[in-house]
Amino acid sequence: MIKVGKLNLVDLAGSESIGRSGAENKRAREAGMINQSLLTLGRVINALVERSQHIPYRESKLTRLLQDSLGGRTKTCIIATVSPAKVNIEETLSTLDYANKAKSIHNKPQVNQTMTKKALIKGYDMEIERLKSDLRVKLQLISC
């Protein structure tokens, strides 16, 4: 028997003004990349809340990794850390806005499953056959 489960722990800290943080060179580039990932995460959250037909999971490694947690089959808990300081009001409001939107996402959690190796292999075989048929169809469309 095999137990199947998943746990993601993600720290989304780092969304800050590069000028205010004083970051330079590599640290500034890293902060820019973090901010870019967080912008993509915001687009995914907005698309899920608005029930858009296209969810841009593939635009970021972060959103691709969190796909099950964002509108998928897992229970998701969000902890928003905010500052009571007046100088951080903009970041606090942004964090609370993120958390409020993310709270509106509807997941369909499934309990961890226990399955036999035989059932797991059968599922993989079915997935492989489905992918092969999809590939055949796409190859036919390309050759036409």
Side-chain angles (χ1 to χ4, degrees):
M1 300 295 254
I2 298 173
K3 275 202 170 197
V4 179
K6 189 176 199 178
L7 173 67
N8 290 320
L9 298 173
V10 179
D11 178 8
L12 298 177
S15 176
E16 57 191 35
S17 169
I18 294 172
R20 209 169 75 169
S21 70
E24 294 178 357
N25 301 326
K26 285 184 179 180
R27 295 195 79 176
R29 279 194 301 272
E30 182 181 347
M33 289 170 47
I34 290 170
N35 286 338
Q36 182 63 40
S37 289
L38 291 174
L39 285 171
T40 303
L41 178 61
R43 285 194 301 271
V44 168
I45 290 171
N46 285 335
L48 287 166
V49 170
E50 295 168 2
R51 300 186 186 264
S52 175
Q53 290 203 345
H54 173 69
I55 312 297
Y57 291 118
R58 293 186 178 182
E59 291 181 12
S60 163
K61 287 181 185 178
L62 174 67
T63 54
R64 188 72 173 128
L65 288 170
L66 294 177
Q67 189 169 351
D68 276 347
S69 300
L70 298 167
R73 302 176 307 190
T74 61
K75 284 188 177 183
T76 302
C77 177
I78 298 170
I79 300 170
T81 306
V82 297
S83 170
K86 212 174 199 180
V87 295
N88 297 326
I89 190 77
E90 187 177 317
E91 291 170 8
T92 297
L93 290 174
S94 174
T95 299
L96 291 174
D97 186 42
Y98 242 78
N100 189 44
K101 285 181 181 176
K103 188 175 82 168
S104 303
I105 297 172
H106 296 288
N107 288 2
K108 298 173 187 117
Q110 292 179 342
V111 176
N112 290 351
Q113 300 172 352
T114 303
M115 57 177 50
T116 64
K117 288 181 184 178
K118 193 174 188 177
L120 187 63
I121 290 170
K122 183 179 179 184
Y124 287 145
D125 285 341
M126 289 171 51
E127 179 71 9
I128 289 168
E129 289 304 316
R130 185 187 66 76
L131 291 170
K132 282 181 181 178
S133 70
D134 287 352
L135 182 61
R136 278 188 223 110
V137 168
K138 291 191 183 203
L139 288 174
Q140 287 175 353
L141 289 174
I142 291 172
S143 66
C144 292

